[in-house]
Amino acid sequence: MSKTITVWGSPGSGKSMFCCILAKALTRDKRKAIIISGEPGIPMLPVWLPEQITTTAVSIGQVLTSVEIDTSQVASHVTVLKNYPYIGLMGYCAGENPLSYPETDYQMALQLISSAKKLVDYVILDCGSAMTNVFTPAAIESGDLVLRIVTPDLKGIVYLRFTRYCTISSFNTVTARSESFSPAPAMVKEIDRCATEGGMFQAIKYCNSKYTASLNKILEALEQMELAERQEEDAYEAGYEDGEYPEEEYEQAPDEEGGYEYGYREADSDE
């Protein structure tokens, strides 16, 4: 079953970079993932695709402001990276801002996430820090796993306080609180270069083993969720075969069409 991972947290904590790293890790075995950025204040398509001109026709704003959202519409607004063909991207385009579209409806944001979930194995939601953007609370509500990334400073601590979400530290800070998650100081420049030069999907190469270990903990949590679901399905099927469940209560789930057969556009990316 498809999983939705929500990533949010304090400003400048590396949320978008982590989404790219997570997407690469999740698609190594050829499973598919979509990263969705719903923050109009910082359009992410030109950040992910700095060498490609994207038009408003592919903007997530076109989807969120439509009358109704379905899987085919979502699929037509996903751009697939040429060098990472199992990773799709959705976001706002260069030049767009919070005033480019009517105010986003909360239910439309939920529909977008639900439709995207039918297309791929993993939906990664790259959220803004402000809860005033309805995409962020909708993403938190929809997330099977919610990760909150904060900077290890006073602002990050205040932002983190009284929350109930899983946290990881920013990899571009080196205080005692985050030391086990941070790369070596010499690697910080390389990671910054990945962000500034449009190579965000290469940043994982510059993270040290401690940060990679924290990433693996998240991957393990997802594996445990999937294992629990399979065990539950197996138990239900075993009970059905033994006659514990009436036949009318058991329905075979219909096949879901979608994925990359919808004709997502390919986009060049970093090598």
Side-chain angles (χ1 to χ4, degrees):
M1 183 180 293
S2 177
K3 289 287 177 289
T4 300
I5 303 104
T6 300
V7 181
W8 70 307
S10 59
S13 57
K15 300 181 294 295
S16 297
M17 183 73 79
F18 176 75
C19 288
C20 296
I21 292 174
L22 181 60
K24 280 200 68 176
L26 291 173
T27 57
R28 285 173 176 171
D29 60 354
K30 297 184 178 181
R31 286 185 287 184
K32 300 171 184 175
I34 294 177
I35 305 176
I36 303 178
S37 172
E39 177 53 66
I42 306 177
M44 284 303 297
L45 283 180
V47 178
W48 290 322
L49 309 169
E51 297 180 357
Q52 177 176 328
I53 298 176
T54 54
T55 66
T56 56
V58 302
S59 173
I60 190 176
Q62 298 286 338
V63 181
L64 287 172
T65 56
S66 59
V67 176
E68 188 174 354
I69 300 175
D70 56 26
T71 54
S72 61
Q73 184 183 22
V74 172
S76 66
H77 286 75
V78 174
T79 301
V80 175
L81 291 170
K82 183 177 181 180
N83 293 331
Y84 306 108
Y86 299 102
I87 300 176
L89 307 172
M90 289 189 75
Y92 288 92
C93 299
E96 294 185 322
N97 59 66
L99 301 179
S100 298
Y101 298 96
E103 185 176 353
T104 302
D105 181 75
Y106 188 83
Q107 293 301 319
M108 297 302 285
L110 292 177
Q111 283 187 33
L112 168 66
I113 297 168
S114 176
S115 297
K117 195 170 182 179
K118 298 176 182 178
L119 297 174
V120 293
D121 301 293
Y122 298 102
V123 177
I124 302 172
L125 305 176
D126 183 8
C127 301
S129 301
M131 296 293 288
T132 52
N133 177 5
V134 298
F135 181 82
T136 296
I140 294 172
E141 178 182 336
S142 303
D144 297 301
L145 181 62
V146 180
L147 306 174
R148 190 172 205 186
I149 306 180
V150 297
T151 54
D153 52 22
L154 183 57
K155 288 184 178 180
I157 293 173
V158 171
Y159 197 88
L160 170 64
R161 197 176 182 185
F162 303 125
T163 61
R164 298 173 294 173
Y165 301 101
C166 174
T167 63
I168 64 171
S169 172
S170 170
F171 52 67
N172 58 1
T173 50
V174 290
T175 66
R177 182 180 177 85
S178 66
E179 187 176 8
S180 63
F181 299 101
S182 302
M187 295 182 180
V188 174
K189 292 182 179 180
E190 298 296 334
I191 292 176
D192 288 341
R193 187 176 297 116
C194 289
T196 57
E197 297 181 358
M200 298 178 72
F201 292 94
Q202 295 186 16
I204 193 172
K205 296 187 298 184
Y206 305 108
C207 295
N208 68 8
S209 58
K210 293 182 179 180
Y211 181 78
T212 303
S214 67
L215 173 64
N216 289 335
K217 291 180 181 179
I218 296 171
L219 299 179
E220 290 172 4
L222 289 169
E223 290 177 0
Q224 290 298 321
M225 294 170 63
E226 294 171 355
L227 178 60
E229 287 181 354
R230 288 195 297 269
Q231 291 175 342
E232 184 178 352
E233 291 174 358
D234 291 343
Y236 188 90
E237 291 178 0
Y240 174 72
E241 291 174 357
D242 294 339
E244 295 181 11
Y245 305 108
E247 185 173 353
E248 62 270 17
E249 292 184 4
Y250 181 84
E251 295 182 0
Q252 180 66 36
D255 294 334
E256 292 180 347
E257 297 181 356
Y260 292 89
E261 289 75 23
Y262 275 109
Y264 294 171
R265 292 167 305 282
E266 285 192 350
D268 293 332
S269 68
D270 49 279
E271 296 295 335

